Amino acid sequence: AIIASIGVGTAAAQACEETQFSSKNAENYLKAETELMVNENPAGALVALNELKAQELNCYEEGAALQLGAAIKIQTEDYAGAVVDLETMIARGIITGDNLKSTYYNIAQLYLTIDNKEKALEYYDRWMAQGGVPDRNQKWTLAVLYQQMDDFPESLKWAEQVLQADGAGADRSVYDFLIFLYDKTGNFAKKAELLELLLARDPSDRRLWDAIA
């Protein structure tokens, strides 16, 4: 999904007046793109891309090479390398507008993949600053990430939104997570409210009676 949203074959910086490849560089680029997208051969694509990068590139060609390089690295599970390419494209103004918003989200997912929670949250914040609106599952991801970072108030903010989205029939794991967060943040009245809701669903659960007491 990230590869699809990155796209290949179209890259242009605001400050770049070039709009096309030279004939030789176009041949190398097309070869790399074909190896990746048609032949599903990322190793061959990387060889062709390195041949392209060995040539003198205009700004348009350089942007396209970075874009394709990120896609290749994702295919080969070099997620840290893909992040470097994407961040370079952002810094050089190659990715702008709505593409910038989606790229921030993609980078957050890549940082999650390599278990860099701090950077993942940083790019989630950038994504939302660009107008990204988390859905229910993304809110759950944010809640879990902040909990893992021991930022319990922020985790609670997102977890409450998950419960609101799920309604009273939410999975027990959502209730248990919120009860844990209410305990960590000292919101014992809200903790008791949730325990009573769970008790109404399962009056035979002795542990709930004990917890409420």
Side-chain angles (χ1 to χ4, degrees):
I2 294 175
I3 292 173
S5 62
I6 291 172
V8 290
T10 56
Q14 288 181 323
C16 180
E17 297 180 358
E18 299 287 346
T19 59
Q20 61 185 5
F21 286 92
S22 66
S23 58
K24 180 175 178 56
N25 290 341
E27 180 181 347
N28 285 331
Y29 180 87
L30 182 59
K31 180 180 177 182
E33 185 180 69
T34 300
E35 288 293 338
L36 179 67
M37 308 302 291
V38 178
N39 299 334
E40 298 182 357
N41 179 17
L46 186 58
V47 171
L49 182 63
N50 288 335
E51 291 176 0
L52 172 65
K53 288 182 175 180
Q55 307 300 316
E56 184 175 346
L57 305 179
N58 63 38
C59 53
Y60 179 84
E61 293 166 340
E62 184 181 12
L66 284 166
Q67 202 167 27
L68 184 58
I72 292 171
K73 288 169 184 174
I74 290 170
Q75 282 277 31
T76 57
E77 300 184 0
D78 179 10
Y79 302 120
V83 165
V84 170
D85 284 346
L86 292 172
E87 289 179 332
T88 300
M89 292 169 69
I90 292 170
R92 296 183 184 178
I94 295 168
I95 301 176
T96 58
D98 287 341
N99 289 332
L100 184 61
K101 179 175 71 175
S102 62
T103 302
Y104 282 150
Y105 180 77
N106 291 335
I107 292 175
Q109 300 311 296
L110 291 169
Y111 273 125
L112 277 179
T113 302
I114 58 178
D115 199 31
N116 189 331
K117 300 178 182 65
E118 295 90 344
K119 296 296 289 186
L121 286 170
E122 176 187 329
Y123 275 92
Y124 263 116
D125 286 342
R126 293 189 185 191
W127 170 63
M128 288 185 284
Q130 287 287 322
V133 180
D135 61 21
R136 184 268 181 206
N137 291 335
Q138 290 161 344
K139 289 174 181 177
W140 181 254
T141 297
L142 286 164
V144 172
L145 276 174
Y146 278 112
Q147 179 266 320
Q148 291 174 343
M149 298 293 295
D150 292 335
D151 188 344
F152 300 117
E154 191 68 17
S155 176
L156 179 59
K157 180 185 80 173
W158 294 108
E160 286 182 327
Q161 292 183 41
V162 171
L163 180 60
Q164 184 178 15
D166 289 355
D171 188 80
R172 176 66 183 264
S173 63
V174 175
Y175 281 99
D176 288 344
F177 189 55
L178 272 165
I179 289 168
F180 167 80
L181 292 173
Y182 283 138
D183 193 55
K184 285 290 187 180
T185 55
N187 289 299
F188 301 120
K190 287 188 174 182
K191 176 182 177 181
E193 289 176 11
L194 286 191
L195 288 168
E196 290 176 356
L197 285 173
L198 287 175
L199 190 62
R201 288 167 53 168
D202 185 7
S204 65
D205 191 333
R206 178 56 186 271
R207 292 173 302 173
L208 292 175
W209 286 102
D210 292 340
I212 292 173

